[in-house]
Amino acid sequence: MSDSSSSHDSPPSPAITGDSETTVTNNESESNTKCQTAIQSLSTIVTNTNIPSTITILLDDEAVSTAISSLLLRPDSGAGDNNLCRWLYDTFQSAEPSLQLLVLRFVPLIAGLYLSRVPLRQPQAGFEAVLLALYAHETTSRAGQAITVNIPDLSYPSIYHESKGLTRNNNSTCLNIAVISSTLDPHGTVRSTRRARIVGVALELYYSKISKMPRESKLNFCESCEKWAGQNGETEQSSRAVIPTLSDDSWREEENVAIGGRSERDSGRIPLPWELLQPILRILGHCLLGLKMEDRELSEAANKACQRLYLRSLHDINPKAILATGSLLRLREMALDPKNQIDHTELSNDTVLSV
C-alpha cells in the first residue's frame, strides 16, 4: 500500500523540459550546419581571400565583401548561370536569419547594377532570381497585406487639443489612413511593369534590417542613388547651392540652377516612380540623420545622393518627389544648425535655486 502511494506521490519526470532542450539543441545544430554549408560553398566561389569560419564575422569582413562586390561588378554577373547569384539565392532561401542578413548586405549593389543594366537588354536572370526571392519572402511574411499608419484627424478633439466647432459626420476619416507599402501580389517573373515594385520591396526589406547593415553597404546604396538620379544635378557650380535652406531666395536659386541648361551624361539614369523612390528616401533618411549623424562620411554621401534626387525631381517636375527630397535636405540643414544643438531637457544654472 505504501509502495503504491509513494509511486503516485512522486514528482513527474521532466520529460517536457528534456524535449524542449533537445529541440533547441537540434535547431542550433541545424542552424550551424546551414551556416557552415553556405560558408564552404562561398569559399569555392570567392577564392582570392580567406573566408571566416563564422557567419557573424563574415557579415562585417571587409576583404570578403570587397571580393564579392568585385564579382558582382563583372559585366556578366547577373546571368542565370552565375554561381554567385545562385549562392545568394540559395543562401537567402535557407530561411536562416544570419544568412539572410548576409544576402541583404549586397542588395544595394545588386539593385544598382540590375536597374542600371536594364536599358542594355542583357540577360539578368541571376539578379532577378535573387530579387524575386526577397519579394516572395516579404509577400509571405506580410500575407500580401499593405502596411498602413493612421494619421490623427485634427477635426476631432484629443487629449492635447480641442477641435474648433462641431465635427460633422462625413467620409473624410478614410483619408486619415496613409499607405506606407501597398498590397503585394505573388510574382514569379520580373516584367517591366512590375520591376520598380519588386526592387522597391527588396529595398523595403533592406531598410527593415538597416540597423544591422555595415556602413560599406550603405555607402554602396548612396552611390547607386547618384547614378539612378542621373547627371541633372552635376554642374561646375554644384558646390555652391544645392542644399535648400529655409529662405525663399535659396529655393528660387535652386530651381533656376536646375531648370537652366545642363550637360546630361545619364549613364545609369533610371525612371524613379514613387513605389521605388519611397523606400530609397527612407534608407537615405537613415543614412542622412541616423545615429545622430556621427558617421560623417556616410552622412555626406547620403546628402550628395539627396541633392541629386532633389534636382532630378525638379527636372522631372515631380511635386511629391520635390517635397520629399527637399524636406530631407532641410531636415539635415536644421540638424546641423548650432541653434538646434540645445538639449532642452537639461536645466540651466540660472534656474537652479541656491540655498
Side-chain angles (χ1 to χ4, degrees):
M1 209 46 195
S2 60
D3 292 343
S4 174
S5 61
S6 62
S7 62
H8 287 294
D9 295 338
S10 60
S13 59
I16 298 178
T17 304
D19 290 343
S20 61
E21 291 178 353
T22 302
T23 302
V24 172
T25 303
N26 291 339
N27 290 339
E28 291 179 353
S29 177
E30 183 180 357
S31 174
N32 291 333
T33 301
K34 289 181 179 179
C35 292
Q36 291 304 314
T37 301
I39 290 174
Q40 293 173 7
S41 179
L42 181 62
S43 63
T44 63
I45 301 172
V46 179
T47 57
N48 57 349
T49 187
N50 294 327
I51 307 296
S53 57
T54 57
I55 203 68
T56 53
I57 299 177
L58 183 58
L59 179 64
D60 297 317
D61 192 289
E62 187 174 349
V64 175
S65 297
T66 301
I68 293 177
S69 298
S70 298
L71 292 176
L72 290 173
L73 288 169
R74 290 182 178 179
D76 60 343
S77 59
D81 58 351
N82 183 268
N83 291 331
L84 182 55
C85 287
R86 169 58 64 180
W87 181 85
L88 291 169
Y89 176 85
D90 292 339
T91 301
F92 190 84
Q93 294 286 57
S94 68
E96 178 61 31
S98 57
L99 291 176
Q100 290 180 333
L101 281 178
L102 182 59
V103 177
L104 289 175
R105 182 251 179 270
F106 296 100
V107 163
L109 184 56
I110 292 172
L113 292 171
Y114 173 70
L115 292 175
S116 299
R117 292 176 182 177
V118 167
L120 303 178
R121 299 184 179 277
Q122 63 186 70
Q124 299 197 87
F127 284 160
E128 290 179 347
V130 177
L131 293 171
L132 283 170
L134 303 178
Y135 180 87
H137 171 83
E138 190 69 359
T139 302
T140 303
S141 62
R142 283 167 46 179
Q145 299 297 315
I147 299 177
T148 60
V149 293
N150 292 325
I151 300 176
D153 187 348
L154 297 182
S155 63
Y156 290 86
S158 71
I159 60 173
Y160 303 106
H161 81 290
E162 294 182 0
S163 61
K164 296 181 179 180
L166 297 176
T167 303
R168 300 184 227 178
N169 293 328
N170 52 44
N171 295 326
S172 63
T173 54
C174 64
L175 301 177
N176 298 323
I177 299 178
V179 178
I180 302 299
S181 180
S182 58
T183 56
L184 300 177
D185 298 322
H187 295 315
T189 59
V190 180
R191 297 181 180 177
S192 58
T193 55
R194 304 169 181 168
R195 183 177 293 118
R197 181 60 177 148
I198 291 173
V199 177
V201 170
L203 293 178
E204 288 177 6
L205 184 56
Y206 176 84
Y207 175 73
S208 68
K209 305 294 183 183
I210 196 170
S211 61
K212 300 180 181 179
M213 293 293 111
R215 66 188 299 272
E216 288 76 13
S217 176
K218 302 172 187 177
L219 288 171
N220 287 339
F221 179 79
C222 294
E223 293 172 3
S224 295
C225 289
E226 289 187 52
K227 295 178 182 178
W228 294 342
Q231 303 298 324
N232 300 104
E234 185 174 0
T235 65
E236 295 179 357
Q237 301 173 344
S238 60
S239 60
R240 66 182 180 97
V242 180
I243 301 177
T245 61
L246 299 180
S247 64
D248 293 337
D249 293 339
S250 61
W251 280 91
R252 292 194 193 98
E253 185 179 5
E254 288 308 316
E255 294 174 1
N256 292 334
V257 171
I259 295 173
R262 296 184 186 277
S263 59
E264 293 187 356
R265 298 161 296 166
D266 288 336
S267 175
R269 188 180 189 273
I270 63 170
L272 291 172
W274 185 246
E275 57 192 354
L276 180 60
L277 185 59
Q278 190 179 35
I280 287 175
L281 294 180
R282 285 188 214 150
I283 298 171
L284 286 180
H286 169 88
C287 299
L288 198 66
L289 303 169
L291 300 176
K292 298 182 180 179
M293 305 171 64
E294 294 175 356
D295 192 331
R296 192 78 178 176
E297 182 183 1
L298 179 59
S299 180
E300 289 295 335
N303 182 54
K304 189 175 180 181
C306 249
Q307 293 172 8
R308 290 282 185 87
L309 290 170
Y310 170 70
L311 291 172
R312 165 68 183 275
S313 303
L314 288 175
H315 180 271
D316 294 347
I317 317 178
N318 186 337
K320 185 184 290 188
I322 291 172
L323 178 61
T325 53
S327 296
L328 274 180
L329 292 172
R330 294 180 71 181
L331 283 172
R332 182 177 188 271
E333 180 200 3
M334 294 171 65
L336 292 175
D337 190 343
K339 297 178 182 178
N340 298 322
Q341 304 300 321
I342 302 173
D343 186 355
H344 295 282
T345 62
E346 293 184 358
L347 294 176
S348 63
N349 294 330
D350 299 336
T351 59
V352 178
L353 297 177
S354 57
V355 179

